Each structure stands twice: as C-alpha cells, then as structure tokens.
Amino acid sequence: MPESLIPMNECPIQIEDDRTGTSVPTLKRAFADNLFYELGKYEAIASKEDFYMALAYTLRDRLLSRWLKTFKTYDDNNVKIVYYLSAEFLMGRHLGNSLINLHLYDRIRQAVEESGLDLDELLEQEPDPGLGNGGLGRLAACFLDSLATLEIPAVGYGIRYEFGIFHQIMQDGWQAEIPDKWLRFGNPWEIPRPDQAIDVNFGGHTETYHDEKGRERIRWIPAKTVIGIPYDTPVPGYDTNTVNPLRLWKAEASDAFNFDAFNAGNYDGAVADKMRSETISKVLYPNDNTPQGKQLRLEQQYFFVACSLRDIIKRHLKHNTSLYNLNETAAIQLNDTHPAIAIAELMRLLLDEYGIDWDSAWRITQKTFAYTNHTLLPEALEKWSVGLFEYLLPRHLQVIYEINRRFIEDVQRWYPDDDQLVGRLSLIEESGEKYVRMAHLACVGSHAVNGVAALHTKLLKQDTLRDFYKLWPEKFFNKTNGVTPRRWILLSNPTLSEFYSSKIGDGWLKNLDKLRQLEAYIDDPEFCEQWHQIKLYNKKLLADYMLKFNGIEVDPHSIFDIQVKRIHEYKRQHLDVLHIITLYNRIKQNPNINIYPRTFIFGGKAAPGYFMAKLIIKLINAVGEVVNKDPDVRGRLKVVFLSNFNASLGQRIYPAADLSEQISTAGKEASGTGNMKFAMNGSLTIGTLDGANIEIREEAGFENFFLFGLTAEEVHNLKSNGYKPSDYYNHNQELKAVMDRISSGYFSHGDQEMFKPLVDSLMYHDEYMLFADYQSYIDCQRQVSLAFQDSKKWTRMSILNALRMGKFSSDRTINEYCNEIWNVKSVPVEMEGYNPESA
Ligand code: CR6
C-alpha cells in the first residue's frame, strides 16, 4: 500500500531522538547541540578539539542505549561473564572505531562535511589512549573488540593510568620521553561511577581470633586504605547491539583516613597522604618484557586486582546465594602474571571474609582462573621479594605459603625420589634472597595455562614450565594470538576494504576466512592491477606523512621495508641496520651497482632505562643521517625513523608496507601480532621461524614467505656448544666491513666511543646471535629485491598473503578461549527498533 494511503492513526511517526537518531539531519543537530551544551561553545569560537569532543559525545550517546541494554540482558539472565584482567589495555583511538562498529561512518562524514568541517581532521584530534606498552596491551584491546562482536558477556578490568606510555620525541637522534597527558582535555568516552567505589587495604599485620562457631580464623589489620573508583568505557561490537564495559580503576585517598589529620589541623599531612594514594594509578611502567621490581608496581597490581575481584563477587552475589558456584558465573583470565596476585586475593576473601574452608576455596579458585603466559625470556618472569610482599600484603604472603606447603606435599607424594623437582616447582625461590614466583602461583591456581603461538606453547611445555606440564599436561593449551580485522583492515585500510566488499560483500569482517573466496581472482590481471594501485596509493599516503613529519622525501615506488615494534635486542632492529650498511658499503665500493631502491622505515619505543635499546635508536638515526644525504646513494636507499609509534601511527603504516621485518632470534618472540597486521594488509614477511611467523608462513604458503635464520633448536644447540661471534666477524668480509664502519666513527661524526657498547656486545657476546644469522638474512634480502622487481609475481604473493590470514582474526582466538577455556556462550542483546545492519 502506498504510504499516503495508510490511515493516519496507523501511520508510523518517525521522530528521531537527538541522542539516538542516525539520520544525517539528526546527527548534524546533535553535533551542534553537544558543542553548545557539553562544551559550552558555539561554532565561531570552537577549536578543532572542541569539534572532536562534540562528535565524540554524539557517538557516545548512540552507544548508551545499547550499553545499558547489554547490561540489563546480562543482569536479568545471570549469565556467565568473562573477566579479562590486564594491567594494560592499548585501546587506540575510540572515535573512528565507534563509527565503523556502529555503521555510522558515512553518515557522520556527511553530517560533518555539511557542517563545514573535515572528518579526518577531527579524528586526528583524539589523543591515542596508550595504556599499554606493546603487544600484550594491544592484544587485550583486540580481544575486547572480538568479545563484543561475538556477543560474549565480558568485562575488561585494568588501571586508569593518568599518564600512559610516554610520548617519544627525537633529540639529535636520541629518544627523549615526554609525559603523556592524555586526560588533559577530559575524556568523553568514560563514565565515572563513584557510587561503586571499592576500598583496598595495604600493609599492617594479621591476627588470629575465634569466630562464633569457635573456629580459628585470621583477620588482616591493614595499615592503610585506598579507594578504587571505576571508570567505564563502552566497547561496542561490530554489527551487533552488544556493548561491553572496560572498567578501569583510579586510586583515590580514603576520606576516613584524611579525617583525623584534617581535624588535628595537619592539612599538609592529609594532602600528602592523598597524593601518595593517588600515585598508585598515576603512571604506566614503560617496560615491555622486563619487569621492574618496584613497590609501586606491586601496589598497582594488587590495587586493580582487589577492586576487580570485589566487583565480580558483588555481581555474583546479586543473583547467587553463595560463592561455591562462582565459576559458573565468572571466568577470570589473567593476562600474564601482572594480575596473578588475584589467586591469593580470592583465597583470602573466601577464607577470611566468607568463612569458606580451604579445600572448597581452593577448588573454587582453580576453577575460576586461567592464565596466559606471554614470554619465554627468563628475565621477564615476574618475581617479588618476600620482604616487600610481607610488608605490603602480609596476609597474602601467608596464603601463598600455605598454597605452597600443600602443593609441595602433593609433589613429594607424586614424586618421592625427586628432591630437585620440589625446588624447581616451589612458589618461593630460595637461592639467596627469597622471592615469590608469580608464574608458579598462576600455574598452580589456574585450571588452564596457555601460550600465545604454537612454538611458544611447545617451548613452555619443554622448557619454561616443563615441570608444571609434567604434573598437569591437561592444563596446557595453545591459543595463537589474533588481531581484530575491524581496526586493522577496515579502519586502517578503507581502500582495500571497499575493494573487498565490492567483490564479496562485507561478510569477511565477521568471518575473515571468507577472503579466501577472492583467490578465484588471482589470475585476473585487472584484479591484480587494482591491488597494485591500492598498495601504491597507501604508500603515497605514508610518503606524504614522512615528508610532513620527518622532512624526508621518499619514492613510493621503492620497496617499503618496515620494522615497527618495541625496540629490544631480541627483536634485532640492529640486524636490519647491518643490512642497510651492507647495501651502503656495496654502493660505496661500486657506485654503479644495481641495487633496487628501498625505503627502510622504523618505529618503536625503548624502555627509558634500557640503554642498549636507546643506542639502537640512535644508530638507526645516525645511519639514516649519513645514508640519506650521501650523493653516491642517489635515492636508492632511504632510512626513516618515525617517532612515537603507537596504535594510530600503526594504522597508517601497516597498509603501506611491502616488506614486514619479523626477525627476532628464533625462540624469543612469544607470538608477535604486528606480523599479522602487516600480512593482512598485503605485506610480505621476511622472518625467522619464531612465534606466530611459523603459522603465518603455513597459512600464506611457504613460497610466499621469505624465511631465513637458525631455528629455535639450532639456536639452542649453537649456544650450548659455545657460540663465538668473533668467528663470524673474522670469516665474513662484508660483516667485518659493516662492523668496522660503525666502529670507525663513520656514523658518529668521528666519535669512536658512541656505538662501542653495541659493537662490543655483538663482538663478544651476541646474546641474540645476529652474527650467526647475518649471512642468511643478507641472502634472503637479495631474494626479496629480486622478487620485487617482478611486479606481477610480487603482487600475486602480496594478495595471497592478505587473503589467507583468516586464522589471525582475534575472533578465531576468542572462539577458542570461549569453547576450550572459559566455557561461555554468546548472549545476543535484543533491541526493539534496532537492527544494527540497517542502522
Ligand atoms: N611483549 C610478547 O613478547 C606477544 C605479546 C602478546 C609479549 C609478544 O610476542 O605477541 O606479548 N609479551 O601475546 C609480554 O608483554 C610479556 C609482548 O607484547
């Protein structure tokens, strides 16, 4: 029936609410309203930041009804919830992500343009929330995206650091750190919930007493109380109504504590205490893969864990009469050992506060927790001195000792003749100063332990956690990492995404394996040419950025050879530098040599206290300075270090790469996730058989991957047979020439001391075996150059890489966790009048 014939009283009246409506006129009006009412500005006096904020509020409004409905759905149905405990969440910018997950990109663009503004410019105003160091924190963010997209009830719990990862700038080629004031202009994405604050205790002592039933109990008399205030950020799924919370805790001083000091007129004392309490959530420790044994760090860990567990228990008890079935409503995942103190805290709560007997408490705890290990580097395994523990968490230390006593009793019963085993498994390291081994606590207190790539899990079983594997083989799982295709393809690479969707629709965004359908086009010259043009376009965009921010002009037709990740010796950015200098030397020796043009691009932060990593940054810049202006090189080699690598810079970089450098010493990189983002965007990988590289190569096809270097086993054997780096130096002319050039001061204005620590470390120790892999790497890079010159062949390889990365969607990873570890099911959120696809 034509609309005009519908009787008046049945006519659907379409009045859009300013806070939920999604038509362009409504969005425009809401945008203007938010500028006026939230920011207190009108157009003529508003800055770009104001416009960004107004737009952020416009999006947040549109998330709220879904968010509250999600909450209600979980609450009404007493569903099982995944609690992802992580000291780091590297969320990246929210606005662009909300636009795509809510299908509002095009309409908002129109609304913004009709308002006379440029959407891309506004998107750039958002500070990148950097509440993490690198892969581990970004993994947590990708997991939250997949959990919401798969409609899994989940809460991310962490710390609301006032200062995230430092802002990196270059001073004369050296890294300098600037505080990250990401909250300076306010954060429109979070909602504080002071009504749900939690008290957290520290220090003091314990005492025994007898309860009303005459049982001996223990009570903790703390010395100090801090309050945790939750701040919630919505995490929308793609193309669903589900919006899960990321709940981050901010530390504040407890009023009760200040009261006495104030009353006594001791204002300074009261304020000092307030400051000390708030320090707990002040700043993220900027270390990746190296723990810092600072008291404040342990305070941070316990602080967010204690708040989160209280919160989880409160939610559980709202619908359940006891905690005996906690594991039926809660699956708590420990993202590395940073939150592992949760095991002792849950035991303490069950025993001391809820009066549950030890055996039951232990059963509940083990069934509720699971632990993900993220590293094989022995120095990265966290341990806390027993003295510090006792001072800060006296009751927890008692609980840990009791867990250990019972555990060791079991071990002795199972393996009566193996004395050494007990020492190796103990939760307490006893050689010299005593330490609590957090990975051991996590293994014993969890029902599942997993590694993050197949090789990593295999090495955990063989090596790092060998003894635990021997006790409980059934506890061990592999969960190869993944990344979200929403941020890392759709948002980062809109041109490629549109190209995909024009061929097969947009189903690939929720099922990345679907891209394999496009392999049907692999022999279609037009398809390949379009692919090639998209890559070139993305390279041009990055070239423009580098010209603007680094003042370096690069040729978009050169090979974009990129290594972006944290700077670490095991990741071997300096091996990449040895290759650059090798090519440079060849040109200097024979200026007419045929070397295919390459642009070497680096990015990444060094931990501020990690001298060698900072020296590697300086070396990259120093080599760049010489190479970029040497007329002999004539635009064949360019070296660019992009400062302040973070999630949003990553979004520009991955789509523009031809070659992805994944060159860690085999057996050192647990997984890597940047490797996946590059390959998904059609980059070829040059890599070792390390971490997830192995699985990327299997998926892409061996012929589409540039493999070099020793295997983990060969690395191990060479080490145990006595590795002598000087042998390689003495027998390899090119390697010798490279090292000699660095030592000569050629890249340091004649200063022969500057790079000496780096040179010496390679010549006399070479812990990460750069010299052993040097020749193999150089040979492999020659193959790369040859392959790139055959543009058709390269494009084909590039396409196959991108289309075959379905396995590395974090949706696959999360599905595996749900089915094999968490035992949770999806809970769709029904909304009247909302159909996400048509929204
Ligand atoms: N540094 C691993 O080194 C892995 C991520 C996420 C790391 C890296 O290979 O991909 O975790 N480990 O699983 C730690 O942070 C301890 C990382 O990001």
Side-chain angles (χ1 to χ4, degrees), residues 88 133-139 287-290 335-336 338 372-377 380 452 456 481 566 568 570-571 668-676 691:
E88 304 187 8
N133 275 287
L136 173 140
R138 183 55 230 177
L139 184 76
N287 304 313
D288 181 88
N289 251 316
T290 29
N335 196 25
D336 214 290
H338 317 146
T372 304
N373 172 287
H374 291 269
T375 189
L376 292 160
L377 304 182
V452 291
H456 172 225
N481 283 167
R566 286 298 288 248
H568 218 299
Y570 85 80
K571 295 179 188 278
K668 301 291 177 192
E669 187 71 271
S671 163
T673 41
N675 46 5
M676 302 167 185

Side-chain angles (χ1 to χ4, degrees), residues 31-50:
F31 180 36
D33 267 15
N34 278 323
L35 184 68
F36 194 88
Y37 289 105
E38 297 292 337
L39 280 299
K41 295 258 178 106
Y42 54 91
E43 221 183 299
I45 60 163
S47 64
K48 280 180 203 151
E49 287 90 11
D50 295 325

Side-chain angles (χ1 to χ4, degrees), residues 117-137:
L117 295 158
D118 176 20
L119 178 60
D120 296 325
E121 210 171 46
L122 300 193
L123 290 170
E124 279 302 306
Q125 303 308 313
E126 180 172 354
D128 190 327
L131 308 188
N133 275 287
L136 173 140

Side-chain angles (χ1 to χ4, degrees), residues 60 247 286 316 331 343 374 383 391 487 508 620 651 699:
R60 196 186 84 176
R247 175 161 279 199
H316 174 87
I343 288 167
H374 291 269
K383 49 185 194 177
Y391 170 69
R487 184 176 290 271
W508 58 274
I620 295 168
Q651 289 170 214
E699 295 294 303

Side-chain angles (χ1 to χ4, degrees), residues 348-477:
R348 184 189 73 80
L349 291 167
L350 297 175
L351 298 166
D352 299 355
E353 315 247 325
Y354 292 92
I356 294 177
D357 65 285
W358 183 281
D359 289 336
S360 307
W362 189 236
R363 214 170 18 250
I364 298 167
T365 300
Q366 282 186 317
K367 279 195 200 163
T368 305
F369 285 108
Y371 156 58
T372 304
N373 172 287
H374 291 269
T375 189
L376 292 160
L377 304 182
E379 69 274 20
L381 295 174
E382 279 193 300
K383 49 185 194 177
W384 290 107
S385 96
V386 162
L388 176 61
F389 230 97
E390 186 158 34
Y391 170 69
L392 220 52
L393 303 167
R395 177 61 181 138
H396 296 78
L397 187 63
Q398 291 174 350
V399 170
I400 288 171
Y401 276 152
E402 181 60 13
I403 294 172
N404 200 35
R405 190 189 66 74
R406 289 166 182 250
F407 171 53
I408 285 182
E409 222 175 73
D410 285 345
V411 173
Q412 278 166 339
R413 204 157 7 88
W414 298 328
Y415 296 95
D417 307 321
D418 197 341
D419 287 348
Q420 303 258 302
L421 185 63
V422 168
R424 291 202 305 268
L425 282 167
S426 172
L427 306 196
I428 309 295
E429 185 182 298
E430 312 233 22
S431 55
E433 197 192 342
K434 282 202 205 172
Y435 289 97
V436 182
R437 297 161 160 166
M438 300 308 275
H440 292 211
L441 176 62
C443 283
V444 174
S446 300
H447 68 277
V449 175
N450 76 280
V452 291
L455 175 68
H456 172 225
T457 303
K458 181 178 143 199
L459 294 174
L460 283 181
K461 292 176 180 176
Q462 261 176 28
D463 235 31
T464 320
L465 301 176
R466 180 185 54 231
D467 297 316
F468 290 97
Y469 180 59
K470 187 168 151 187
L471 297 187
W472 304 302
E474 70 286 353
K475 264 197 196 185
F476 282 72
F477 296 83

